[in-house]
């Protein structure tokens, strides 16, 4: 019974100390970060702090990211006992949307097991373009079609324009709800063969920022 | 006429809704069969048996694609989404299956690209199990 009484506080205290991950010699404050992203945000930067709680110097041998869109920075590669540091991971969104998971792999001279630093986020669309793809089916005479642009956040869209180099496709922009909803009419001329293009729907917001989303057009060949 | 006893009123309250409930039940549409969603993953050997040659989509980086890819595969990654999607659409026709792959079993890019192709309205879209590594192993 006495043993049990000693064991209970030990069990309670144990999880309060983050364990040094296998083979690294470093103790990480966290290896997983879930960060929110706002509309129009272009990137996120997250620090993964660590501390060398061992008695030996630890050298970080390699830092590998699983995507060209992710960069990792470290000030000091050699970490003395008791020294603290952090690996800063920056994820540039580029044209990504939705849930994203980026993994940075860290190896040290303390052991063969790498540490995986995971950054997760959900990137909201800058604004909604519906439908994202307008198609004219095989044999169909290309008639006038419409797409809608909608924005439901604080800032208003001051100006919306279509960027296109397609001479066979005329476009018209109409405001349905000022600053919030727009209709784009697509008026194609007759064309031959299968054709696919991306129009750039460029929104300029009240604060001067701009965002461009694609509207894809596909005319199927016969 | 005297006031009906309280127990009769209670019985009426209990019995009156029964015909209404039976009528509602009779007018209900037949239950819809709920099926498990298709997980959308396909293996190399299974894709090889398909009647229609799938449209292969390489969701890796441009440099990885240039270093080697499945013959006939088209590059499509999220870094350069707007510029690359038209290249895929030019090769796609309704009904042609699309198979997306990335580097290996642990990569995430193929899932993300497959999701966005489905959002465009393209179907069916599958993810290649094991990715490029699996293709190289099985086609050796």
């Amino acid at each position: 019974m006495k043993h049990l009484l000693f064991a209970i506080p030990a069990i309670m205290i144990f999880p309060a100390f983050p364990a040094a991950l296998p083979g690294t010699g470093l103790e990480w404050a966290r290896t997983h970060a879930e960060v929110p992203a706002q509309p129009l945000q272009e990137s996120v930067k997250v620090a993964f702090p660590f501390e060398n709680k061992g008695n030996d110097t630890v050298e970080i041998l390699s830092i590998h990211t699983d995507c060209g869109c992710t960069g990792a920075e470290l000030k000091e590669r050699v970490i003395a006992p008791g020294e603290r540091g952090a690996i800063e991971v920056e994820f540039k969104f580029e044209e990504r949307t939705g849930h994203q998971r980026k993994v940075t792999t860290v190896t040290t001279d303390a052991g063969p097991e790498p540490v995986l630093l995971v950054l997760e986020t959900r990137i909201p669309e800058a604004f909604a373009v519906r439908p994202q793809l307008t198609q004219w089916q095989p044999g169909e005479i290309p008639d006038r079609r419409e797409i809608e642009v909608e924005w439901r956040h604080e800032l208003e869209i001051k100006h919306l324009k279509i960027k296109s180099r397609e001479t066979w496709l005329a476009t018209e922009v109409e405001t349905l709800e000022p600053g919030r909803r727009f209709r784009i009419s697509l008026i194609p001329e007759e064309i031959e063969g299968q054709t696919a293009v991306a129009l750039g729907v460029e929104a300029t917001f009240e604060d001067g920022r701009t965002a461009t989303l694609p509207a894809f057009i596909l005319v199927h060949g016969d | 006429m005297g006031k009906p006893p309280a127990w009769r009123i209670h019985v009426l309250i209990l019995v009156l809704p029964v015909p209404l409930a039976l009528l509602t039940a009779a007018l209900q549409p037949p239950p819809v069969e709920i099926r498990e969603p298709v997980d959308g993953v396909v293996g190399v050997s299974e894709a090889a048996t398909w009647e229609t040659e799938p449209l292969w989509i390489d969701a890796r980086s441009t440099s990885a694609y240039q270093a080697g890819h499945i013959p006939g595969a088209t590059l499509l990654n999220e870094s350069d989404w707007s510029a690359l999607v038209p290249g895929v659409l030019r090769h796609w026709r309704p009904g042609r299956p699309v198979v997306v792959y990335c580097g290996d079993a642990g990569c995430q890019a193929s899932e993300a690209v497959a999701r966005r192709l489905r959002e465009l309205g393209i179907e069916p879209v599958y993810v290649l199990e094991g990715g490029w590594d699996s293709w190289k192993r099985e086609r050796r």
Side-chain angles (χ1 to χ4, degrees), chain B residues 74-95:
Chain B
T74 305
L75 175 68
L76 177 61
N77 54 53
E78 286 197 288
S79 294
D80 217 3
W81 185 254
S82 304
L84 295 173
V85 166
V88 172
L89 295 175
R90 278 180 211 121
H91 294 103
W92 178 74
R93 62 179 186 280

Side-chain angles (χ1 to χ4, degrees), chain A residues 41-110:
Chain A
Q41 192 172 330
E42 292 176 349
S43 64
V44 287
K45 201 169 192 177
V46 174
F48 292 94
F50 57 78
E51 183 177 354
N52 182 357
K53 287 205 169 172
N55 298 320
D56 301 318
T57 297
V58 175
E59 185 179 358
I60 293 178
L61 300 173
S62 71
I63 303 174
H64 174 76
T65 57
D66 67 343
C67 173
C69 55
T70 315
E73 278 182 23
L74 173 69
K75 283 184 184 154
E76 289 291 331
R77 284 193 170 267
V78 179
I79 319 298
E83 202 178 350
R84 291 177 182 196
I87 290 180
E88 286 196 341
V89 176
E90 185 176 20
F91 168 35
K92 289 182 180 163
F93 298 161
E94 294 166 333
E95 292 195 65
R96 288 171 182 79
T97 61
H99 176 254
Q100 301 285 333
R101 184 175 187 269
K102 301 298 165 198
V103 181
T104 301
T105 307
V106 181
T107 55
T108 72
D109 63 355

